[in-house]
Amino acid sequence: MLPDDTALATVRIAIAGMVYLILDALMVFLIRNWVVTLLLIQGQLAVTVYLILRFRRSGFLMATCLNGLALIRQIYLVRTGGSIGGLNARMAMTFYIDAILAGSLLAFYAMRNAGNYDDALKKKELITKAYYQASVSEEQLWKKNQELEKSNKIITDDREQMYRLAYIDPLTQLPNRRKFQIDLDQIAASFGVSGRPFALAFIDFDNFKSVNDTLGHHAGDELIRYTGFLLSKLKNTGDSLGHIGGDEFVLIIRQKMTREEIRTYIDYIGKMVRRPVRLGEATVSVSASFGISFFPEDTDHVPELMRFADMAMYQAKKSGKNQIRLFQKSMNDQLVRETRIIQGLKGAIGRNELFLVFQPQFFVESGGLRGFETLIRWKSAEFGMVSPGSFIPLAERNGMIVQIGKWVMRTACKVFKQVQVQYGFLGRLAVNVSPVQLMDPGFIDDVKQILKETAFDPNCLELEITETSLSNSVSVVMQKMDMLRELGIVIALDDFGTGYSSLSFLQQMPIDLVKIDKSFIDKINQDMKSNQFVSSILMIVRQLNIPSLAEGVENEWQRDFLRLKKCDIIQGFLYGRPVTASGVLRLLQPPDGGSAQQMTGVSKK
Ligand code: C2E
Ligand code: CA
Ligand code: CA
């Protein structure tokens, strides 16, 4: 019986008891017919049986109480010689004894079975409970399942998101460096099975920085995004494209093509990339340099393949940008040599292998000595004389130029301090400053420190910065130039005409001297166009009221042309090659022992 039924059972037992007592009362007070009495007693017996069978232990207890009471009454009646319901008391008693005996017997069997019954009941209860729970849990299960499905979707979405974060470049939606690397490894690994060679192309914008600087990073991003889209449209099906950072893209060319066909394919891509693009208000056209390496022809080692393509791309940049270069073994040899040169350069200052030479500059009109440009030399025990043209770019690339540049400035100031003291020389001492050095955060402090240390007059110091310096953050460069000028230092713009800086820079920048690059001077009197170009520059510079210097003047025609076009200063082998410090002293000390050549500095703008 379930606990909820206990109250109901009590009520039923009570009702059965009442029926029993009513039957008894009928016999005692109403009925005088022994047949009816017998029937009533049968009724009481039926109640007894009902109680025992239906309610077992508690039923038996109740039935025994009722029958016991009736028995006691019967005993009393027997003793007093009374009767009940027209029935002899003794006779009636036998019925009650019968009832008690039968009831006990019944109870005995009922109890025996009760165990089984209880078990069954318990089992039933358990089954009911289990069933109930099962039905509940089925619902829960369904809910759980739904939740699971939901979280599963979240996990899948997350996984996708994580995949995107790990492998997809957010700007272009192309595979990033990591993913590209994995793809490349896989393609290379499959070569063993497929036997299909492939090529790897590195694509890098030329002067991308200028887009960022002039139009802002947003425009730069837009250009990258657009190019990613363009490249993915232009590439052949089956080729894999990746954006591995900054303005660098990579392409795995898997279509079977000859080297020449690949060159044509890339050439076409280059042409399309160069086409003008509208970025906000502005329309820009940016070229790119391409480097290609071949698997397994150049190497079957993936990292090397990447390095080779990069090397070829670097070579394309070095030879004037906007070009395609296929990797050649000599490039690698060159890299090995370059690495050795860098190694050698590291100890060059300590081994006293570096020294300075100074090239004189002369006023065109007066012919007087204007000053000297400091040029570095490296006499290496291992490589012999190494030209600055080859080691300076390497030093710039690995940052060593900062240390070397400081050494040059300090040494030059020391030498010229002595020259100033000994000869009263008040001309300019020009020192080249690499763009890397200029951008170094400690640059201005270094200059101050050197001036203090050497007691060199800053008004005599001229720093030559190249046009490439201007491709760095213009505001930072301007600020540094202003700080230098506040110290009294003169700024010269070196290699003018070779960079991409426009004439408008000349107006904005605090520049005290423009040095026209040797390449233009070389062409003087060779063709009309070059003559025109040089005279135009000279005219504009004069209009801006900036003095001009022509570099690399080697012959009289050049000098005469420059004089005619009113160039202010000349520097070149025609007038003087670079000389060592003692050469400078000789130059300042005329052979007759008289006074040093008379000089005057270029006045500031
Ligand atoms: P640059 O600053 O344009 O220096 C002028 C170069 O032209 C020097 O070459 C000089 O020797 C050479 N030159 C001058 N007149 C003539 C001429 O009439 N004919 C010919 N054929 N050449 C002439 P150099 O010394 O080999 O230097 C090459 C470059 O290396 C320099 O070009 C400069 O960019 C860099 N450099 C040299 N010394 C330093 C330095 O101390 N620091 C930095 N950052 N760069 C330096
Ligand atoms: Ca120079
Ligand atoms: Ca120059």
Side-chain angles (χ1 to χ4, degrees):
M1 216 174 291
L2 288 175
D4 308 349
D5 295 346
T6 318
L8 194 65
T10 315
V11 173
R12 282 182 176 154
I13 290 171
I15 292 171
M18 297 275 276
V19 171
Y20 188 99
L21 290 174
I22 289 167
L23 294 175
D24 211 60
L26 287 172
M27 274 186 282
V28 175
F29 303 110
L30 213 63
I31 306 297
R32 288 291 171 262
N33 184 319
W34 64 274
V35 178
V36 177
T37 302
L38 275 180
L39 283 173
L40 289 177
I41 291 174
Q42 289 311 305
Q44 284 181 320
L45 195 63
V47 170
T48 302
V49 170
Y50 165 77
L51 277 171
I52 292 169
L53 288 185
R54 180 74 177 82
F55 305 103
R56 295 194 316 276
R57 216 176 291 273
S58 38
F60 174 68
L61 216 68
M62 185 61 154
T64 311
C65 281
L66 292 167
N67 286 307
L69 278 173
L71 191 64
I72 291 165
R73 190 198 56 225
Q74 285 310 119
I75 293 169
Y76 170 74
L77 286 176
V78 169
R79 283 231 175 138
T80 55
S83 66
I84 186 162
L87 197 71
N88 181 299
R90 256 177 232 272
M91 181 81 122
M93 199 166 80
T94 54
F95 283 106
Y96 289 107
I97 291 169
D98 280 356
I100 288 173
L101 283 176
S104 299
L105 216 65
L106 217 87
F108 173 73
Y109 282 105
M111 295 304 170
R112 232 183 67 165
N113 287 331
N116 300 339
Y117 178 74
D118 272 354
D119 278 356
L121 214 63
K122 260 184 206 148
K123 267 184 198 148
K124 184 191 156 200
E125 258 175 57
L126 282 175
I127 288 168
T128 318
K129 238 187 223 169
Y131 177 78
Y132 172 77
Q133 278 170 354
S135 65
V136 169
S137 53
E138 197 175 321
E139 197 184 312
Q140 282 173 344
L141 215 73
W142 188 72
K143 269 188 199 154
K144 272 260 148 65
N145 194 40
Q146 273 198 324
E147 273 169 27
L148 257 156
E149 263 173 24
K150 230 186 253 171
S151 43
N152 204 28
K153 192 172 159 10
I154 292 171
I155 289 171
T156 320
D157 287 354
D158 273 5
R159 203 181 296 153
E160 226 165 82
Q161 178 79 8
M162 269 160 68
Y163 176 87
R164 293 197 77 76
L165 280 177
Y167 292 126
I168 302 294
D169 166 58
L171 192 59
T172 56
Q173 301 300 319
L174 289 172
N176 63 12
R177 179 182 282 276
R178 197 184 300 168
K179 175 75 171 89
F180 184 80
Q181 190 74 56
I182 293 170
D183 290 350
L184 183 62
D185 284 340
Q186 267 171 2
I187 292 170
S190 72
F191 176 75
V193 184
S194 67
R196 254 174 73 183
F198 62 90
L200 176 67
F202 263 50
I203 306 161
D204 195 295
F205 277 120
D206 300 327
N207 305 329
F208 175 70
K209 220 178 158 306
S210 67
V211 175
N212 268 344
D213 286 348
T214 49
L215 300 175
H217 283 269
H218 186 71
D221 282 357
E222 198 53 43
L223 181 65
I224 294 287
R225 210 187 338 256
Y226 168 72
T227 308
F229 170 77
L230 182 71
L231 291 175
S232 58
K233 291 281 162 259
L234 292 175
K235 76 174 179 68
N236 288 331
T237 20
D239 288 359
S240 310
L241 181 69
H243 178 219
I244 58 171
D247 56 344
E248 268 181 88
F249 290 89
V250 272
L251 181 68
I252 304 176
I253 304 161
R254 305 188 71 194
Q255 287 235 331
K256 207 165 182 255
M257 283 193 272
T258 62
R259 288 172 86 95
E260 264 328 291
E261 282 166 344
I262 287 182
R263 192 187 268 278
T264 314
Y265 170 41
I266 295 295
D267 192 43
Y268 176 68
I269 290 181
K271 268 196 197 110
M272 298 304 279
V273 167
R274 259 194 321 272
R275 289 216 310 207
V277 187
R278 245 197 117 64
L279 298 174
E281 296 293 289
T283 303
V284 294
S285 162
V286 186
S287 65
S289 297
F290 298 83
I292 305 170
S293 60
F294 294 83
F295 183 101
E297 204 180 312
D298 293 332
T299 172
D300 60 358
H301 184 53
V302 171
E304 207 164 49
L305 188 76
M306 298 266 289
R307 207 158 54 82
F308 286 176
D310 194 24
M311 225 181 264
M313 197 263 294
Y314 171 68
Q315 209 61 41
K317 293 244 176 214
K318 221 166 125 181
S319 22
K321 303 177 178 175
N322 187 22
Q323 299 187 22
I324 303 167
R325 280 280 179 282
L326 309 192
F327 173 76
Q328 281 168 346
K329 208 186 150 288
S330 58
M331 291 178 187
N332 195 32
D333 297 344
Q334 190 183 339
L335 191 86
V336 171
R337 187 183 142 79
E338 283 182 3
T339 315
R340 278 180 52 212
I341 288 182
I342 289 173
Q343 261 340 92
L345 192 56
K346 276 183 185 157
I349 295 182
R351 290 192 299 269
N352 280 327
E353 290 180 351
L354 299 180
F355 65 96
L356 299 180
V357 291
F358 306 91
Q359 187 176 25
Q361 303 168 337
F362 296 91
F363 290 109
V364 177
E365 268 312 306
S366 64
L369 183 62
R370 185 248 180 189
F372 293 86
E373 177 182 0
T374 311
L375 296 162
I376 193 168
R377 294 291 175 261
W378 179 21
K379 191 169 193 298
S380 158
E382 191 183 350
F383 309 103
M385 280 304 288
V386 188
S387 89
S390 51
F391 75 82
I392 292 287
L394 299 181
E396 282 176 338
R397 252 195 291 156
N398 81 345
M400 242 190 312
I401 192 67
V402 174
Q403 192 202 350
I404 292 176
K406 254 194 277 186
W407 178 84
V408 170
M409 200 181 292
R410 181 176 288 119
T411 313
C413 286
K414 246 190 235 163
V415 169
F416 269 76
K417 174 71 194 174
Q418 214 183 333
V419 173
Q420 280 179 340
V421 172
Q422 241 174 303
Y423 295 92
F425 175 70
L426 290 175
R428 299 262 172 250
L429 167 67
V431 174
N432 289 289
V433 173
S434 143
V436 180
Q437 202 185 344
L438 184 66
M439 291 315 284
D440 185 68
F443 179 67
I444 301 287
D445 285 342
D446 289 343
V447 174
K448 283 183 188 162
Q449 172 67 26
I450 288 168
L451 288 173
K452 206 173 132 194
E453 235 178 81
T454 57
F456 189 77
D457 178 6
N459 292 298
C460 294
L461 183 62
E462 180 171 280
L463 296 185
E464 294 190 7
I465 67 163
T466 59
E467 273 189 300
T468 22
S469 292
L470 305 180
S471 65
N472 288 310
S473 172
V474 173
S475 58
V476 176
V477 174
M478 284 262 244
Q479 206 186 357
K480 292 202 174 188
M481 283 163 87
D482 283 338
M483 285 161 104
L484 291 171
R485 290 181 100 228
E486 267 166 35
L487 294 174
I489 294 169
V490 175
I491 309 275
L493 186 59
D494 204 358
D495 303 344
F496 186 76
T498 56
Y500 66 96
S501 80
S502 63
L503 286 169
S504 68
F505 271 123
L506 279 185
Q507 271 174 313
Q508 294 171 31
M509 293 284 175
I511 286 164
D512 304 293
L513 178 74
V514 166
K515 296 186 79 175
I516 302 165
D517 194 66
K518 179 176 180 301
S519 55
F520 303 112
I521 309 302
D522 283 346
K523 287 186 197 141
I524 288 178
N525 283 346
Q526 283 184 7
D527 59 74
M528 282 300 286
K529 240 167 125 188
S530 302
N531 284 13
Q532 191 62 50
F533 185 77
V534 173
S535 52
S536 299
I537 293 178
L538 286 171
M539 202 175 72
I540 292 163
V541 168
R542 201 171 42 253
Q543 271 170 7
L544 291 170
N545 208 15
I546 306 172
S548 56
L549 181 150
E551 285 189 303
V553 180
E554 291 180 337
N555 55 53
E556 277 97 5
W557 312 307
Q558 292 166 345
R559 181 202 55 201
D560 293 344
F561 179 84
L562 291 163
R563 179 177 284 157
L564 188 73
K565 298 295 171 186
K566 301 254 180 317
C567 176
D568 299 297
I569 305 150
I570 274 178
Q571 177 183 345
F573 291 176
L574 177 70
Y575 280 90
R577 288 182 178 259
V579 291
T580 58
S582 46
V584 171
L585 299 184
R586 268 198 303 277
L587 249 173
L588 295 177
Q589 184 67 66
D592 59 10
S595 67
Q597 286 192 49
Q598 201 206 326
M599 303 149 240
T600 25
V602 173
S603 62
K604 279 190 194 169
K605 251 197 313 185

